[in-house]
Amino acid sequence: MKIGVPKEIKNNEGRVSMTPDNIKDYVKNGHEVFVETNAGVLAGFEDSEYVKAGAKIVQSAKEAWSYDMVVKVKEPLQSEYQYFKKGLLLYTYLHLAAEPELTEALLKNEVTGIAYETVSLNGRLPLLRPMSEVAGRRGVTVGAQFLEKHNGGQGILLGGTPGVAPGVVTIVGDGVSAINAAEMALGLGATVYMLSLGEDRIRYLCETFDKRLNVVKSNEANVAKYVKEADLLISTVLIPGEKAPKIVKEYMVKEMKKGSVIVDISIDQGGSVETIDRITTHDNPVYEKHGVLHYSVANMPGAVPRTSTIALTNATTDYGVIIANLGEESIKVNPQVRTGLNTFKGKITNVGVAKAFNETAVDPLTLM
């Protein structure tokens, strides 16, 4: 199969969907890979390295998009919709619940859209996990940055100093991003609260963190209490494929201290904080509402592209090779690929995505 690797064009997105080492995996399986020039440069991969690994360099996005299969990192932007065509195999993050125009374009052009974030293996999300880990860790570091006075924050050092109490970090959610955020915040010396729903999960987290982490039952009263106490609030709640539920209400945000910071990691799926009403960019990452700084950048891992690219492609390449080897047949024979399928032959095939648009998901096997 001929596979295109376009350069990412989202604001300050430095990741690339394949490293030179990944190219070798595709090539040894008999595929040709065409990489847009400078696609990997921000992640530290030069065109010459791709050529040495067996790829061909193309000079335009149009050409990179012209092949049977396209492998990306982020969801296509509107300027890329022109490249969609019937039967194109698109393998990337899609986050369609928050992208109605993209969804419509994929369906209209009958693109086979396989989304990293919904690929499921035994209830886990192996292709979402690595970027959730990065986003959770970065949530704390960017939050700490914007708590500094010159950035509009309270002027708080999260770890405190001898004789000065540490800052308070409240984490809403208990998944991969939440755990990584907790590890980072505890490492800085902050006081950390995590809101978790399940009784078994609460016990697991308490045991895992050896009581260093304050795990609290998630209900509206507790969310309101610990949001109010937070210097830094990190919201991580996400339901695969669906729009994120608005767990943190506006009245809670109004009670927060002036100059406190909110980081909404689930912004890709619409955000889980009621006062998050826009996606921000790395160029202009925060806005103020009710005296609170809101950070809602939709490609947080893109700021650390070297680490993020390697972490992401470690997870995505094996499935990508399966898709390339088998084409559409991979949907039939591989259950994990099938869980990643969001659009196929003009229909929505993922239950979560369909729910976001008040539609009924179509079983892709009935379309083959």
Side-chain angles (χ1 to χ4, degrees):
M1 185 175 287
K2 293 183 177 181
I3 304 164
V5 176
K7 184 177 181 179
E8 298 296 320
I9 62 172
K10 199 176 184 76
N11 178 276
N12 280 297
E13 178 53 72
R15 288 172 290 180
V16 62
S17 62
M18 291 189 200
T19 70
D21 283 344
N22 305 144
I23 298 291
K24 296 174 185 177
D25 290 327
Y26 285 91
V27 170
K28 74 182 182 183
N29 277 273
H31 307 294
E32 294 181 86
V33 184
F34 301 84
V35 180
E36 184 179 352
T37 186
N38 293 324
V41 70
L42 293 180
F45 303 111
E46 300 292 338
D47 286 355
S48 58
E49 295 178 73
Y50 285 105
V51 171
K52 187 177 180 180
K56 298 177 177 65
I57 301 299
V58 298
Q59 298 303 311
S60 68
K62 182 178 180 180
E63 186 170 356
W65 275 94
S66 68
Y67 299 103
D68 308 313
M69 178 176 173
V70 167
V71 182
K72 286 184 85 284
V73 176
K74 288 301 292 175
E75 72 281 351
L77 301 186
Q78 192 169 33
S79 63
E80 296 172 304
Y81 298 176
Q82 63 182 304
Y83 305 128
F84 292 173
K85 60 187 177 184
K86 184 176 181 179
L88 170 68
L89 278 166
L90 177 60
Y91 181 50
T92 187
Y93 284 119
L94 287 174
H95 298 292
L96 294 183
E99 296 285 349
E101 291 182 4
L102 172 58
T103 305
E104 182 180 355
L106 292 170
L107 295 175
K108 180 180 177 181
N109 289 281
E110 297 191 27
V111 173
T112 301
I114 300 172
Y116 298 156
E117 73 272 10
T118 63
V119 171
S120 178
L121 176 63
N122 299 324
R124 295 179 290 107
L125 302 170
L127 309 192
L128 183 61
R129 184 182 186 95
M131 296 303 92
S132 296
E133 291 167 341
V134 173
R137 291 169 182 265
R138 283 211 70 236
V140 175
T141 60
V142 298
Q145 174 188 344
F146 284 103
L147 278 171
E148 295 174 355
K149 196 66 177 179
H150 66 279
N151 287 324
Q154 297 180 65
I156 283 180
L157 183 66
L158 278 181
T161 63
V164 180
V168 175
V169 177
T170 295
I171 302 168
V172 181
D174 60 9
V176 173
S177 290
I179 288 174
N180 279 267
E183 289 175 344
M184 186 65 74
L186 289 168
L188 290 175
T191 298
V192 185
Y193 296 94
M194 181 182 289
L195 291 127
S196 173
L197 271 175
E199 296 297 318
D200 289 343
R201 186 66 170 170
I202 290 171
R203 287 181 173 82
Y204 165 80
L205 291 165
C206 288
E207 292 170 2
T208 298
F209 284 93
D210 194 25
K211 300 182 181 179
R212 295 179 299 128
L213 176 65
N214 302 291
V215 188
V216 182
K217 177 72 174 180
S218 184
N219 54 48
E220 187 164 341
N222 279 338
V223 172
K225 172 180 170 62
Y226 291 101
V227 166
K228 182 178 180 179
E229 292 188 13
D231 298 305
L232 170 59
L233 170 66
I234 300 177
S235 191
T236 69
V237 178
L238 185 143
I239 302 171
E242 298 184 28
K243 273 196 171 182
K246 300 294 185 183
I247 303 298
V248 178
K249 309 297 185 183
E250 185 165 12
Y251 80 86
M252 301 175 186
V253 175
K254 288 180 178 179
E255 293 293 313
M256 294 179 73
K257 290 166 277 192
K258 303 303 180 187
S260 51
V261 176
I262 295 173
V263 176
D264 195 340
I265 288 175
S266 55
I267 187 61
D268 276 336
Q269 296 288 130
S272 52
V273 178
E274 211 165 54
T275 48
I276 295 288
D277 57 8
R278 73 201 76 166
I279 291 174
T280 61
T281 66
H282 290 295
D283 280 345
N284 190 20
V286 297
Y287 64 91
E288 180 271 325
K289 193 168 187 177
H290 304 310
V292 177
L293 293 180
H294 292 61
Y295 179 101
S296 51
V297 175
N299 59 328
M300 289 177 67
V304 285
R306 181 75 177 191
T307 297
S308 296
T309 291
I310 295 170
L312 177 62
T313 60
N314 281 346
T316 58
T317 299
D318 287 349
Y319 286 105
V321 170
I322 290 170
I323 295 165
N325 286 347
L326 300 175
E328 287 187 0
E329 190 70 12
S330 64
I331 298 165
K332 182 184 293 186
V333 303
N334 190 291
Q336 285 77 55
V337 172
R338 194 157 60 248
T339 60
L341 188 67
N342 282 202
T343 63
F344 185 52
K345 297 187 184 299
K347 304 294 183 182
I348 295 175
T349 56
N350 178 273
V351 173
V353 174
K355 182 178 178 180
F357 295 106
N358 296 313
E359 300 280 352
T360 301
V362 175
D363 181 351
L365 298 182
T366 66
L367 302 173
M368 299 188 76

